[in-house]
């Protein structure tokens, strides 16, 4: 059996499918929009899909599931010890972090952004300032937490073109003029 490395990522994927299926999902943000949703836990370095689960829709009771993101992460990471778990903001919660600590999983990393859909440019600029401030706070915290002789955590530029997770890369001059 494959043993994943220290970093594991939990996320959803959509297998494009337009045929008849009682649990077919519509996700407008995905390229294939219609399909079968699968939860996946993957080794972040090798992209090996360590655990997968097909989402079959609402429970039999017909009521929406509460804390679905927390349940998915806990199911997907069952059996892991000492791993860092990364997931997006759908899954991330304080309760999940506490439960992962009880299970001896060392870190939970989620995405963060203050961005909101808006047609008003001052609101968009304000949310961007909040995002930049959050990244600056992380830099200051890292510099004050780690002694000078200890190496700082390094952003992997190959994984994301942005310096902060959940943020877009900086705009070029031409892109700024278009706004």
């Amino acid at each position: 059996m494959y043993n994943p490395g220290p970093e594991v990522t939990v996320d959803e994927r959509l297998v494009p499918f337009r045929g008849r299926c009682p649990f077919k999902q519509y996700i407008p943000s995905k390229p294939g929009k219609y399909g079968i949703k699968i939860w996946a836990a993957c080794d972040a370095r090798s992209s090996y899909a360590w655990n997968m689960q097909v989402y079959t829709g609402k429970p039999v009771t017909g009521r929406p599931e509460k804390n679905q993101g927390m349940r998915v992460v806990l199911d997907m990471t069952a059996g892991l010890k000492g791993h860092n778990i990364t997931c997006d903001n759908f899954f991330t919660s304080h309760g999940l972090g506490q439960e992962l600590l009880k299970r001896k999983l060392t870190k939970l990393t989620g995405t963060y952004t203050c961005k909101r859909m808006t047609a008003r440019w001052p609101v968009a600029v304000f949310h961007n300032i909040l995002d930049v401030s959050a990244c600056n706070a992380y830099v200051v915290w890292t510099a004050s937490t780690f002694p000078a002789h200890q190496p700082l955590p390094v952003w992997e530029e190959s994984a994301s073109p942005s310096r902060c997770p959940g943020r877009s890369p900086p705009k070029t001059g031409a892109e700024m003029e278009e706004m």
Side-chain angles (χ1 to χ4, degrees), residues 49-66:
W50 183 74
N51 193 359
M52 297 177 81
Q53 183 182 84
V54 175
Y55 175 64
T56 56
K58 290 181 189 173
V60 180
T61 61
R63 285 179 286 175
E65 182 179 1
K66 290 190 182 221

Side-chain angles (χ1 to χ4, degrees), residues 17-143:
F17 179 74
R18 285 196 172 254
R20 292 174 61 168
C21 178
F23 49 87
K24 181 173 63 176
Q25 297 288 305
Y26 172 68
I27 304 176
S29 62
K30 301 286 185 185
K33 302 211 185 325
Y34 290 93
I36 298 169
K37 185 194 286 191
I38 298 176
W39 309 113
C42 301
D43 183 327
R45 296 244 185 252
S46 67
S47 300
Y48 180 85
W50 183 74
N51 193 359
M52 297 177 81
Q53 183 182 84
V54 175
Y55 175 64
T56 56
K58 290 181 189 173
V60 180
T61 61
R63 285 179 286 175
E65 182 179 1
K66 290 190 182 221
N67 299 322
Q68 182 183 46
M70 181 173 167
R71 183 205 45 88
V72 168
V73 172
L74 294 176
D75 285 355
M76 295 285 98
T77 59
L80 295 178
K81 296 267 190 261
H83 290 74
N84 299 329
I85 309 300
T86 303
C87 51
D88 66 16
N89 59 0
F90 171 76
F91 302 98
T92 309
S93 70
H94 178 72
L96 174 61
Q98 295 300 315
E99 186 61 34
L100 290 176
L101 279 175
K102 289 178 192 172
R103 293 184 179 196
K104 305 285 189 242
L105 293 165
T106 56
K107 282 187 197 171
L108 171 66
T109 305
T111 56
Y112 165 82
T113 184
C114 287
K115 290 182 184 175
R116 301 288 181 268
M117 292 296 292
T118 181
R120 300 177 304 176
W121 70 266
V123 175
V125 170
F126 176 71
H127 287 145
N128 186 37
I129 290 169
L130 289 177
D131 280 346
V132 170
S133 299
C135 289
N136 288 347
Y138 174 78
V139 170
V140 169
W141 171 81
T142 304

